[in-house]
């Protein structure tokens, strides 16, 4: 939203599917699905009483995002769509969120605290903590940004309290690079999750220091790193790096 506001991204925060795949005929013909910020694909149910939806996924890697009780999480194995796009019949129970998918190559941050449902207030979410979700594409890369403000000051004001951080990732590391920050204190990261890693890492380092608070989830092809003991604020720069084993591994904790 911030990038669209300042003219550094498409002004269409909610865009039709063909905005991300303009040469795909199925995307051109899609009239119900849409993409938020070029990252999150939404497949709404538009037929009364229907409990499923035929979701079209363009070529690439897509990660299912489940939203329940105010909390989002990536679930199941990624959809790896090769050559051309494909349709999937997905469950969409009445009263639940519609099918949501994160586009491979994206980095997102979301609230990762303990509040749920009606307890989730704007002030609680703003206080954090947060989780970073890295969704690797078929080239094992991803990038994204985080904009955070105090929710009160005007962005255009010289006294605005804002933080802007860029993220980039590949098959062996994630790097956070603060581009600006005028806040003396920002929320902390609770977790960093990297999706699309087909092999379990052998070891991890955070800013060059060995890290033991992590595990690998085989089903989701995800590296899940706990940041609780490090107390790293979202405005800080850092590098998370890992080395791979040469074979797939079962879920593990080192």
């Amino acid at each position: 939203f911030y990038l669209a506001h300042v003219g550094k991204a498409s002004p269409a925060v909610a865009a039709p599917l063909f905005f991300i795949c303009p040469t795909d005929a199925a995307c051109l013909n899609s009239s119900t699905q849409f993409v938020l910020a070029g990252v999150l694909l939404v497949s709404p149910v538009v037929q009364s009483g229907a409990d499923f939806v035929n979701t079209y996924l363009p070529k690439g890697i897509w990660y299912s995002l489940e939203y329940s009780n105010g909390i989002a999480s990536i679930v199941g194995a990624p959809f790896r769509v090769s050559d051309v796009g494909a349709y999937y019949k997905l469950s969409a129970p009445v009263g639940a969120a519609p099918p949501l998918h994160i586009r491979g190559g994206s980095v997102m941050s979301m609230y990762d605290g303990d509040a749920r449902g009606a307890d989730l207030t704007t002030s609680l979410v703003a206080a954090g903590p947060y989780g970073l979700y890295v969704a690797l594409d078929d080239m094992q890369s991803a990038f994204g940004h985080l904009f955070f403000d105090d929710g009160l000051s005007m962005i255009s004001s010289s006294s605005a309290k804002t933080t802007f951080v860029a993220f980039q990732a590949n098959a062996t590391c994630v790097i956070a690079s603060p581009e600006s920050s005028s806040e003396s204190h920002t929320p902390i990261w609770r977790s960093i999750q990297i999706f699309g890693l087909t092999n379990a890492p052998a070891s991890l380092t955070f800013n060059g220091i060995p890290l033991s608070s992590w595990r690998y989830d085989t089903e989701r092809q995800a590296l899940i790193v706990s940041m609780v003991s490090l107390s790293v604020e979202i405005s800080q720069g850092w590098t998370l790096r890992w080395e791979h084993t040469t074979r797939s591994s079962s879920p593990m904790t080192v």
Side-chain angles (χ1 to χ4, degrees), residues 10 30 64 93 106 136 166 171 204 208-209 228 230:
S10 169
S30 175
S64 297
S106 307
L136 297 175
L204 271 73
I209 300 173
V228 174
L230 300 178

Side-chain angles (χ1 to χ4, degrees), residues 33-163:
Q33 293 175 267
F34 59 94
V35 183
L36 293 175
V39 171
L40 184 63
L41 174 62
V42 183
S43 303
V45 179
V46 295
Q47 294 182 338
S48 177
D51 58 1
F52 71 91
V53 61
N54 287 316
T55 294
Y56 181 76
L57 298 180
K59 178 183 178 181
I61 300 180
W62 297 88
Y63 300 85
S64 297
L65 185 69
E66 187 176 87
Y67 185 84
S68 177
N69 205 23
I71 298 297
S73 59
I74 293 179
V75 297
F79 291 87
R80 297 181 181 273
V81 185
S82 59
D83 298 328
V84 295
Y87 285 94
Y88 296 87
K89 183 177 180 179
L90 301 178
S91 175
V94 175
L100 305 169
H101 293 87
I102 296 178
R103 185 184 185 188
S106 307
V107 178
M108 294 177 59
S109 58
M110 290 181 278
Y111 173 75
D112 195 20
D114 296 322
R116 297 290 186 272
D119 293 330
L120 274 174
T121 63
T122 302
S123 57
L124 272 178
V125 172
Y130 285 84
L132 189 70
Y133 296 77
V134 179
L136 297 175
D137 61 15
D138 51 6
M139 299 297 291
Q140 293 281 279
S141 65
F143 69 93
H145 300 87
L146 166 65
F147 175 79
F148 185 85
D149 65 8
D150 62 0
L152 298 173
S153 56
M154 297 292 292
I155 295 176
S156 57
S157 170
S158 59
S159 61
K161 296 180 179 180
T162 63
T163 295

